[in-house]
Amino acid sequence: MARVSRSDSEPQRENDAEVTLAFDDNRRASLLFGQYDQNLVKLERRLRVSCVASGNHVTLKGDAEACEHARRALETLYARAQLGLEISPGDVEGAIEETTRQRSLFPDSAVGFDQIGTRKRGPVRARNRAQDLYLRALKRYELVFAEGPAGTGKTWLAVGHAVSLLEKGVVERLILSRPAVEAGERLGFLPGDMREKVDPYLRPIYDGLYDFMDARMVERGMQTGMIEVAPLAFMRGRTLTKACILLDEAQNATTMQMKMFLTRLGEGSRMIVTGDPSQTDLPSGQKSGLSEAITLLSGLDEIGHVRFSEGDVVRHDLVRAIVSAYERAQRRPSDRG
């Protein structure tokens, strides 16, 4: 629990404030502040306040509203530290966004962003409004489309949600897939057995699995068929029941592939389709099955659709800046005569 004290000294400006927070556990306060106070540095940059740590105390100085925002964010993060969970600069970003929403929509409520949880990872909370909508859609709809730029957490959260469904017994198996466009789906020309052929194209999905599940459980699941990671072409002709099925990088699926995939949905199954329509690797002139499916199915109330923007990038501050720069360049009219 944090104790709050406010300075009685005369502020330098009318709207300036000084707030000191005292946390009752030094070890958890250290988790909160981060290595070399990196989490406090993140807070300073985002909210333009001064954060000075001393032992289990931190003093906030700056605009009164910004200090109050920082206090709320730190208390939210300290609650996470009390659960023994690590706190990264990304978690700080999420706490800032979450407390922004609480203040604007629920000023007298503790209602915050939604979360998922797995045995290995523990609770994972949404870091922005788009992720919150995404997690809520995943829990509500049997079929969810998520589109947006790299680094927004579309695939990672989808894998985490799928693992949580498996652990709760909602589904009996996971089927995780991507179009292997880079290999032209001509996997027979590649060296090695089938797993060695497709692993390079499915690596991001494996990374997500190992984040949310113990490595031994992943390997055991793949040996027993409880977890299947396969190229999109391998889905043809199957009916998938009691399964959570994820199609990643779906912008690289053709119209016929997307129709084939969507019609695999069987009884008791959930389906998640993620991709970035602006980054298709399909041949020039060939329409993306993802964009077409979203347009064709937009009128169905039984389907969830979440759109991420460059402002929702959570991977790294530089990634957000890079994505924004490319987005601006695409929107800028050509300077050529």
Side-chain angles (χ1 to χ4, degrees), residues 247-260:
L247 177 61
D248 188 36
E249 297 290 341
Q251 75 276 3
N252 291 327
T254 65
T255 294
M256 293 307 297
Q257 285 177 326
M258 182 60 72
K259 180 181 177 183
M260 176 273 291

Side-chain angles (χ1 to χ4, degrees), residues 2 18 21 28 37 44 96 163 230:
E18 179 176 322
L21 300 177
R28 288 169 178 163
D37 293 342
E44 287 181 324
I96 292 170
V163 171

Side-chain angles (χ1 to χ4, degrees), residues 52-71:
V52 179
S54 177
N56 64 335
H57 292 68
V58 60
T59 299
L60 310 173
K61 295 181 181 179
D63 177 80
E65 185 174 352
C67 285
E68 177 63 17
H69 193 173
R71 180 189 67 78

